[in-house]
Amino acid sequence: MLEGIKKDFPVLNQIVNDEPLVYLDNAATTQKPLKVLAAIKDYYENDNANVHRGVHTLAERATEKYEAAREKVRQFINAKSTKEVLFTRGTTTSINWVAQFAGQILKTGDEIVISIMEHHSNIVPWQEVAKKTGAILMFVYLKDGQLDMDDLRKKITNQTKFVSIAHVSNVLGTINPVEEITKIAHEHGAYMVVDGAQSTPHMAIDLQKMDVDFFAFSGHKMMGPTGIGVLYGKEELLNQFEPVEFGGEMIDFVYESHSTWTELPWKFEAGTPNIAGAIALGAAIDYIQELGIDQIHQHEIELIDYLMPKLQEIEGLKIYGPKDNVKRGGLIAFNIEGLHPHDVATALDMEGVAVRAGHHCAQPLLNYLETPATARASFYLYNTKADCDKLVEALKKTKEFFNLD
């Protein structure tokens, strides 16, 4: 169903190192369709004005489009209210905000539970808040490329105040059972935080069903621009926490001695926001909705099912993550015995295939896996089985080039 949509993505229609580009670095960032590019251009050409402040026509149009984008996000993730949808710079900022919220209530001896598969953006903020408050940071480890749920149940206790877990691992591709984890967290009175950066672009998200307390994701990983993201928080919780940035937009009234805050969601959005970014994220959501998020997810499953056996046939190639593709998102991290992943990625680039190599901002996980780095191929709606074939062909050529056959 999704075949033939590459024409919507101008950047994909180019030659790299004398080869047609095959872009397989979608877990890092996705390409942008014409519809999104047009939304950015249209805003700056026709509606450029600051939001919420002016009564002139341009300001009203900009505000209307900005808040319409918030409503699109609300519907896309099934939040109860737009009061629960905060625009941020991205997942990293969103999780930092939650960690700063946590710093307002954590005390010495309280516990924070995360997993060893987390991105640094879901580790470092918690390390910092633990240092400042005297809280204890606990890690849940793995079993067969997935969260060890027995370990998780042991680690989450009545001392646990926050649990923060990736919905989908950006290295292993593991899809974590966040609904089950949320129930466990809530049974012990803990808040549940989910890093949705690698899930939101690829599968249906229903936050009311999931019942998580906070959920973070980035626009650029779902065909939106860089510098725009979302933090979802339950309304009653956002009302309890104090803002973490201060200035214009987020105030109700400023006195000489103190200030009061405006209502949600603007209470947390200090200063001029990324207006064009929010509007373009709304356009990206429109594009996803037109194709169908379930169809996108199914398309990626079909690509992984097609590619995995071909990779497993390559001698010396080690794949990380769950063996069951049903429990895996649309990415595969791998290494070739005898080759550094950077050499693999460089060789693939010479064949026009773009993959990521390195620690993927997940050094604790790679230390746990006892490897300094991996290569990673990650897929999205515009990738095809022909792209998978090109990756396999390029990997075989790489082995030949380094005399590993």
Side-chain angles (χ1 to χ4, degrees), residues 261-282:
W261 317 137
T262 191
E263 61 184 339
L264 293 173
W266 307 290
K267 164 185 167 183
F268 292 98
E269 296 180 3
T272 299
N274 185 352
I275 303 165
I279 293 168
L281 174 57

Side-chain angles (χ1 to χ4, degrees), residues 289-304:
Q289 299 283 51
E290 287 166 11
L291 295 172
I293 190 67
D294 291 335
Q295 285 75 14
I296 292 169
H297 185 50
Q298 184 58 38
H299 176 72
E300 292 175 13
I301 290 171
E302 289 171 4
L303 291 180
I304 296 299

Side-chain angles (χ1 to χ4, degrees), residues 61 231 233 263 315 317 326:
R61 288 206 306 247
L231 173 61
E263 61 184 339
E315 188 176 347
L317 189 144
V326 173

Side-chain angles (χ1 to χ4, degrees), residues 60-73:
E60 289 182 350
R61 288 206 306 247
T63 299
E64 182 181 338
K65 288 186 176 181
Y66 180 74
E67 292 302 334
R70 196 189 306 272
E71 171 60 20
K72 289 176 185 179
V73 172

